[in-house]
Amino acid sequence: MNFIKNLENNSILLIPYNIKDKVLEYIDDNDILLSIKIMTFNDLKKGLMYDFNNETIYEVMKHYNVNYGVAKSYLNDTYYIDDSDNEKINYLREIRDYLDSKNLLIKDKLFKSLIKSKDNIYVYGFDYINKFNKSLLDICSEFTNVVYIDKEKFDYKHEVYEFKTMDEEVTYVAEEISKLIDSGVPMNKIFIANYSDEYYFTFKRIFEAFNIPYFIKNETTIYTTLVGKYFIENLENNK
């Protein structure tokens, strides 16, 4: 990441979310003093278009009679509405326009001014930029320079293990984590990725047996709990 030292001040560095911590760590470790704002495409999307919150989600749930997960999925899909004329696109367009009329889409009126105030947007770390994200960069190019930085190429080789049961798999992971901790690796530097919900209880049981503290990140909200559902279903009776 030596290229970071050569970036111009008063610029934006657009990177994938999964390398954000590594970039920040590199800047900190090398005492790089630059006026650089770090963003992801998600930040760019919300800034150039709009964001939404739980109030927005609840309005979709109530108005269209859908659950939390479906409402959130609809909202995420509204970002990708194009000029097509079909049932799905028209439905999403209706949802977006309805929420806009209710002022429930959160718009950053100063975001384009922020982009315009920057000398460059440096784009780094992407293997592929899809059509939608390219359109966001095209908008940005109307206000400032968009500079693409070639990603370093590494020849990674990984070992693959196969287990007969989930218990065996998670036990192996717990043993490897214990070895890392014993060797001095901080626990906040150890991550597990690409697991499904079915692993949660196995993680809990086996990690506790190994005395390994853990945090499972998920999308659980009050809207998906029994108490939350009861509250929503009986909201009209609680006036």
Side-chain angles (χ1 to χ4, degrees):
M1 295 184 182
N2 287 333
F3 74 91
I4 294 177
K5 299 176 181 178
N6 299 318
L7 300 183
E8 292 186 20
N9 270 311
N10 192 41
S11 295
I12 291 171
L13 177 59
L14 190 71
I15 56 176
Y17 181 80
N18 64 334
I19 69 168
K20 188 174 181 179
D21 287 343
K22 290 182 180 180
V23 170
L24 291 171
E25 187 175 318
Y26 179 87
I27 290 173
D28 185 55
D29 290 345
N30 290 274
D31 296 322
I32 297 174
L33 300 176
L34 288 173
S35 178
I36 297 289
K37 185 173 182 63
I38 294 177
M39 288 188 184
T40 65
F41 270 118
N42 196 42
D43 299 323
L44 209 59
K45 175 183 70 178
K46 292 177 179 179
L48 291 173
M49 299 178 70
Y50 51 82
D51 197 1
F52 57 85
N53 57 20
N54 280 332
E55 184 182 359
T56 320
I57 297 171
Y58 174 65
E59 184 63 29
V60 175
M61 293 170 63
K62 183 177 66 173
H63 189 76
Y64 292 93
N65 194 29
V66 295
N67 64 32
Y68 180 90
V70 172
K72 190 172 181 181
S73 177
Y74 282 164
L75 282 163
N76 283 323
D77 287 346
T78 61
Y79 288 113
Y80 308 104
I81 295 172
D82 55 24
D83 296 328
S84 303
D85 184 14
N86 60 60
E87 185 177 352
K88 181 179 179 180
I89 293 297
N90 291 338
Y91 185 58
L92 291 173
R93 189 179 290 117
E94 176 194 326
I95 293 173
R96 182 196 63 190
D97 293 347
Y98 169 75
L99 293 170
D100 200 18
S101 70
K102 293 283 188 178
N103 294 318
L104 289 171
L105 297 179
I106 304 167
K107 299 180 180 181
D108 187 345
K109 296 179 180 179
L110 299 178
F111 191 81
K112 288 184 179 178
S113 296
L114 169 67
I115 298 296
K116 191 174 182 178
S117 72
K118 301 300 181 181
D119 294 332
N120 301 285
I121 293 181
Y122 296 103
V123 184
Y124 170 77
F126 300 93
D127 294 318
Y128 170 74
I129 297 177
N130 62 35
K131 184 177 179 180
F132 175 76
N133 286 338
K134 181 65 169 61
S135 70
L136 296 178
L137 291 174
D138 288 342
I139 295 173
C140 291
S141 67
E142 298 174 11
F143 305 104
T144 189
N145 296 319
V146 177
V147 181
Y148 295 87
I149 300 174
D150 290 335
K151 181 181 177 182
E152 297 103 320
K153 294 182 179 179
F154 301 98
D155 183 19
Y156 288 115
K157 293 183 179 179
H158 301 281
E159 293 182 347
V160 178
Y161 298 90
E162 184 176 357
F163 300 91
K164 293 181 180 179
T165 67
M166 186 184 296
D167 275 17
E168 290 182 2
E169 179 184 359
V170 176
T171 298
Y172 173 80
V173 171
E175 290 172 346
E176 292 301 305
I177 290 175
S178 296
K179 291 177 185 177
L180 290 172
I181 294 172
D182 289 342
S183 68
V185 177
M187 284 184 286
N188 62 357
K189 297 293 184 181
I190 302 174
F191 302 91
I192 300 175
N194 300 323
Y195 56 84
S196 60
D197 293 356
E198 64 189 47
Y199 279 82
Y200 289 174
F201 292 110
T202 307
F203 280 150
K204 177 178 174 60
R205 177 167 49 82
I206 294 178
F207 280 16
E208 286 181 354
F210 276 80
N211 198 29
I212 298 174
Y214 64 94
F215 169 73
I216 296 177
K217 184 178 180 180
N218 57 43
E219 292 290 327
T220 302
T221 69
I222 189 171
Y223 295 104
T224 59
T225 63
L226 290 175
V227 173
K229 289 178 180 178
Y230 177 83
F231 173 77
I232 292 167
E233 291 169 358
N234 294 273
L235 191 60
E236 297 298 325
N237 300 324
N238 286 281
K239 293 182 179 180

